[in-house]
Amino acid sequence: MSTNVEGWKDEVYGEEIREHLFEFAEEGWESIPDDEHDAWFERFKWWGLYHQRNGQESYFMMRIGTPNGVLEPGQLEVVADIADEYARGPADNPEFGGAYCDWTTRQSIQLHWIRIEDVPEIFDKLEANGLSTMQACGDSWRNIVGCPVAGKDKHEHVDAWPVAEQLHEEFKGNDAYENLPRKWKVSVTGCDEGCGQGDINDLAFEPARKEIDGEETMGFNVRVGGGLSRKEPRFARDIDVFCTPEDAPKVSAGMSALFRDHGDRDDRFNARIKFLVDEWGTEKIRNTLQEEYVEYELPSAGDDLREQYTYNAGRQDEHGDHIGVHEQPDGNYYVGLNVMVGRMGVDDVRELASLADEYGSGEVRLTQRQNVIVTDVPEGSLDAFLDEPLLEDYSPDPHPFMRGSIACTGTEFCSLSIVETKNRQVRYARWLKENVELPAGIQDFHIHLSGCTASCAQPQIADISLRGMKTRKDGEPVEAFDIGLGGGLGEDPHFADWIAMRVAADEVPGYIRNVLAAYEDESGEESFREFIAARDEEELEALAEPEETDYADPYMHNTKMTWYPYADEDEMDDRPTPARADGTPITADD
């Protein structure tokens, strides 16, 4: 039996959803039949709309896809204007204000508090400026990710931007691939940092060299079946295929069609390519791709360049995350700015767009670490740019605890999350910066906080992994975290080992401090990841204990049961939702 979702998709899916979406927009929130909410909310995802969680009825999150994180001149200002006009809700966030933009771990943009009545106007503004929400969510090709400075990087072997751009153009809105069993995530990496995070994608193109017809050819090795969700993470596996940049679309078409035809549509929990690779093995995946989906002979894999990977590799000599000032091949510079937990208020977003115009080409790029990059800054303008007041808050040289902080959306808006995330991680980072001295030599230290097992903050590939849970403390239910240690990517990627379970949220900073103290006392020349990998589970469990400190956590209560965690009156009975287009609450009597 196919799932309910497959039944809904059989009735209406893909581009045709737009017509229905616009009809609901014209007639208002109340025109969506109550008994069809689940079906329509699932379909709306294809056009980048997620209905926000219980207590926030009638409001949506909107995701804007930016392939490879590239925002062309003028586009960021448009996003800021849309956020300012349409992404304001009935309550402000105490850290970030009333309107803001979220940069995601897949180089996309998310806006919140969007009303369905405003969607047509927003789409018009986006599409008039070359932007779209199409397939930003849903069971189809998601936003293509890769090295955020592709084409601007002195360390790249293949310029991955034209490949990512071509894949975006070919597979977005392509009805042959618009209805897959589940999401389809693709990464294209051409540099030696490995910052495209191919290991955790469904389909990954990674730089490689191979001799073809007597000539050394640069291209990609192909990996398949990576992903983090469901407490069943997998690294993408080598299927022994090399392809040139020109052939990447053919391999992409073949692999996504293979997944379309053979992925599990009966069980959505099993409907990811990683489970098909588990079941079939890489040899059968390759043979099926060759025999049924690709019309040319697939070359065997070339020599990979993974030994050069620096991004999230556990090393301290190079970051690989593109924060800081870096020279481009053309003699200009790009400047990577740290955006802690990936959220910027609209005034700051607008100022960033203005500075990109003033000092660079106007282009801004987003990274998978939720940061931003201003490209094409002439050497003569660098000092003036670096002196701009905005860079005091978004530093090109941040403290490691700030630099390494990633957080997902959390209970502020997400229906899956079970804990508050972004504001908490900001507080964690500030406390750690003020109270914990990093051991000598540590320049790069990642703390990823995810509100649930969906792993949107990618906790399994961090030095410190935080996964939202609940526990009881002093007889009361409180928010808590499972804590993992030692995850990361690089040449030899490793998922974090989950060591401390259901730690009360206010005891997490103390635990991190104690872990780092143990590392400093017991390690020699080992990196933190090597230190963790060298110890068995029993040793790791004995390494440190959670501890209360003077860190204060205002979100210990069950934020999932509030309508909005930061509202003065946050009880569900006090919620101002659902609401009409003008913000007037819709009551049961209506």
Side-chain angles (χ1 to χ4, degrees), residues 16 123 134 166 168 195 212 217 221 232 241 248 270 280 298 338 373 385 403 408 410 439 447 472 481 500 564:
E16 63 180 329
F123 279 11
M134 179 191 288
Q166 183 177 1
H168 175 81
C195 54
I212 298 178
T217 301
N221 281 346
E232 294 194 53
V241 169
N270 201 43
W280 281 14
L298 295 168
N338 183 67
I373 297 171
F385 177 57
R403 183 177 196 146
C408 70
I447 302 175
R472 299 189 75 85
F481 292 92
Y564 188 62

Side-chain angles (χ1 to χ4, degrees), residues 236-487:
R237 282 144 282 185
D238 187 350
I239 62 168
D240 191 26
V241 169
F242 174 88
C243 78
T244 63
E246 294 75 22
D247 287 333
K250 299 174 186 175
V251 173
S252 298
M255 276 307 311
S256 51
L258 185 154
F259 176 56
R260 177 197 64 208
D261 298 342
H262 297 283
D264 191 341
R265 292 184 184 265
D266 294 328
D267 180 0
R268 285 185 68 77
F269 289 108
N270 201 43
R272 295 296 299 274
I273 190 69
K274 64 182 178 181
F275 297 118
L276 188 62
V277 178
D278 289 351
E279 179 184 348
W280 281 14
T282 55
E283 184 176 356
K284 182 176 179 180
I285 292 286
R286 190 194 197 282
N287 289 342
T288 305
L289 176 66
Q290 177 70 84
E291 294 166 7
E292 300 181 22
Y293 296 99
V294 175
E295 295 181 355
Y296 76 102
E297 184 175 350
L298 295 168
S300 60
D303 297 325
D304 70 46
L305 305 170
R306 293 174 63 87
E307 75 279 357
Q308 300 178 27
Y309 282 6
T310 60
Y311 173 85
N312 193 11
R315 297 166 50 174
Q316 298 302 323
D317 55 336
E318 291 187 63
H319 294 290
D321 63 2
H322 303 295
I323 292 295
V325 179
H326 304 269
E327 188 175 6
Q328 299 174 184
D330 63 3
N332 290 323
Y333 288 78
Y334 70 81
V335 182
L337 306 179
N338 183 67
V339 183
M340 193 160 53
V341 304
R343 179 170 286 179
M344 292 182 76
V346 290
D347 291 340
D348 290 344
V349 176
R350 193 174 282 113
E351 176 67 7
L352 176 65
S354 175
L355 295 179
D357 283 334
E358 180 179 353
Y359 293 101
S361 63
E363 179 187 78
V364 174
R365 299 194 178 193
L366 310 177
T367 84
Q368 293 189 69
R369 293 205 59 78
Q370 301 181 319
N371 296 317
V372 296
I373 297 171
V374 175
T375 63
D376 306 318
V377 180
E379 184 175 9
S381 301
L382 270 176
D383 288 343
F385 177 57
L386 295 173
D387 284 340
E388 286 288 344
L390 186 72
L391 274 63
E392 295 176 9
D393 295 321
Y394 306 100
S395 174
D397 186 25
H399 186 280
F401 284 131
M402 306 298 184
R403 183 177 196 146
S405 290
I406 283 180
C408 70
T409 298
T411 53
E412 182 178 10
F413 300 113
C414 180
S415 61
L416 298 178
S417 181
I418 56 178
V419 298
E420 199 281 335
T421 55
K422 284 192 182 289
N423 289 26
R424 176 175 276 134
Q425 182 56 31
V426 168
R427 298 173 70 90
Y428 279 173
R430 288 173 180 162
W431 188 91
L432 291 167
K433 177 184 176 183
E434 295 300 321
N435 293 277
V436 178
E437 186 173 344
L438 279 162
I442 288 191
Q443 310 269 333
D444 206 21
F445 195 75
H446 296 173
I447 302 175
H448 293 195
L449 189 154
S450 200
C452 70
T453 59
S455 301
C456 295
Q458 303 169 348
Q460 297 96 325
I461 56 169
D463 296 298
I464 302 288
S465 311
L466 303 177
R467 181 173 63 198
M469 289 289 161
K470 289 286 195 292
T471 192
R472 299 189 75 85
K473 183 173 181 176
D474 301 327
E476 297 294 327
V478 297
E479 298 198 346
F481 292 92
D482 291 344
I483 303 179
L485 304 174

Side-chain angles (χ1 to χ4, degrees), residues 479-555:
E479 298 198 346
F481 292 92
D482 291 344
I483 303 179
L485 304 174
L489 297 176
E491 180 183 4
D492 297 307
H494 181 74
F495 291 128
D497 296 311
W498 295 100
I499 302 303
M501 312 304 281
R502 298 185 183 275
V503 175
D506 62 345
E507 298 176 21
V508 168
Y511 179 88
I512 295 173
R513 180 177 67 181
N514 294 341
V515 163
L516 286 170
Y519 166 66
E520 185 170 34
D521 291 343
E522 299 179 24
S523 68
E525 298 298 316
E526 302 167 297
S527 69
F528 183 78
R529 193 196 298 186
E530 291 168 340
F531 174 77
I532 298 301
R535 283 152 179 79
D536 61 27
E537 184 175 353
E538 185 175 341
E539 290 174 305
L540 292 174
E541 288 176 351
L543 197 62
E545 293 290 334
E547 182 182 359
E548 287 188 359
T549 63
D550 62 355
Y551 166 80
D553 195 311
Y555 311 118

Side-chain angles (χ1 to χ4, degrees), residues 142-206:
R142 297 292 187 90
N143 193 50
I144 298 165
V145 300
C147 173
V149 289
K152 310 278 186 181
D153 190 2
K154 296 178 74 172
H155 300 279
E156 66 185 355
H157 305 280
V158 183
D159 184 356
W161 169 231
V163 179
E165 190 173 29
Q166 183 177 1
L167 296 182
H168 175 81
E169 293 297 328
E170 184 162 335
F171 294 101
K172 290 289 185 174
N174 186 327
D175 58 9
Y177 309 97
E178 70 179 12
N179 182 356
L180 302 177
R182 283 293 303 279
K183 63 188 77 171
W184 184 247
K185 296 182 175 181
V186 178
S187 169
V188 185
T189 304
C191 67
D192 58 17
E193 283 98 344
C195 54
Q197 298 193 150
D199 282 309
I200 58 171
N201 278 265
D202 297 303
L203 174 63
F205 295 94
E206 298 197 322

